[in-house]
Amino acid sequence: MYGIHFVDGDVTIKAGLTLINATIFATGTIDVIGSGDVYLQNDISPLALIAKGDITIEGSVHGEGIIQSESTVKIDG
């Protein structure tokens, strides 16, 4: 996934996620389910996943980037 993505609501990703110079902003929650790993490859901006609600990742996070929530961040991998 490339670019900046703004979602007015919740985001659910049912597989692995690779952000290449990309950011997801959500007004709700961000859930990466199904044991999907998240790969961060941002050399333009450190922002990766930003949510007003919870961020839950059922896999592991690889790479460097900012994962920020006004609530809870949970990484199960």
Side-chain angles (χ1 to χ4, degrees), residues 19-74:
L19 295 175
I20 301 172
N21 295 325
T23 303
I24 298 175
F25 293 94
T27 60
T29 62
I30 298 176
D31 295 310
V32 181
I33 61 175
S35 298
D37 284 356
V38 175
Y39 295 88
L40 307 175
Q41 301 172 9
N42 290 337
D43 59 3
I44 294 175
S45 169
L47 299 176
L49 299 174
I50 311 296
K52 198 166 182 80
D54 294 346
I55 297 175
T56 303
I57 301 170
E58 292 188 0
S60 298
V61 176
H62 309 273
E64 295 180 10
I66 295 171
I67 298 174
Q68 179 179 336
S69 167
E70 288 186 13
S71 188
T72 302
V73 175
K74 182 179 178 185

